[in-house]
Amino acid sequence: AKYVIVEMLDYTCGHCQNTHAAIHGAMQAYGDQLAVIILPVPLDASCNPQINATAAEHREPCQIAKLAIAVWHLSPDRFTQFHNWLMESKPNFAQATVHAESLIDREKLQAELRSSTPSNFITKNVDLYKRASAGAIPKIMFPRTSVVGEMHSKDTLISLIERELVQKPK
C-alpha cells in the first residue's frame, strides 16, 4: 500500500469498536492504497502491565487478542474478515472461538493458542504501547504524529491521512 497507518486497539473497547467504522470508511475511500497495521493491546492487567486495574467492561481481552493473533498467524487472508467480525459483533471469548474455528481448522487453532506466538505478539504490542505513552486507546499512529481516542468519522480520518501521508511535508 502507498499509505500505511498503525492502530492500537482492544477488541473489548467500545471506543475502538466505534473507531472501526471510521477506519473502514477510510479504507473504502483509499482502496488498496491504504493499509492498516492492527496491534491488539488488551486493556487487561493480566497481560498488560501498563494497566493497573482491569475495568469491568473489558471481559477477556487478552484471550480475544490472542485468538485474533492466532487467526492472523495461521491464515493472514482470513484475518481481516475475523477482525471486522470481532469489531462489529462484540463477542465474548467463547463466541469468538466458535467463529474462529469456522475459519481455521480447530486443531491448528488450538495448537497455535497453546504456543507462545500469540502471547509474544501481545508482549511486543504492549511494549510499543508503553513507548507510545500508554494511556487511552485507540491510538492511530502516523509517521510524525498519533491520534489518541475515538475517531468519530471517516471524514476526519481521511483529513488526517491527507495531511499526514498524502501531502508531502514542507
Side-chain angles (χ1 to χ4, degrees), residues 38-55:
I38 305 295
L39 300 180
V41 179
L43 296 176
D44 184 337
S46 70
C47 66
N48 183 345
Q50 300 304 307
I51 305 299
N52 293 325
T54 304

Side-chain angles (χ1 to χ4, degrees), residues 29-78:
Y30 283 97
D32 292 341
Q33 291 187 41
L34 178 64
V36 180
I37 298 171
I38 305 295
L39 300 180
V41 179
L43 296 176
D44 184 337
S46 70
C47 66
N48 183 345
Q50 300 304 307
I51 305 299
N52 293 325
T54 304
E57 66 266 19
H58 298 294
R59 289 181 220 100
E60 306 172 310
C62 298
Q63 297 88 333
I64 293 171
K66 288 177 186 177
L67 189 60
I69 291 165
V71 168
W72 167 76
H73 194 240
L74 292 171
S75 185
D77 59 318
R78 293 194 174 148

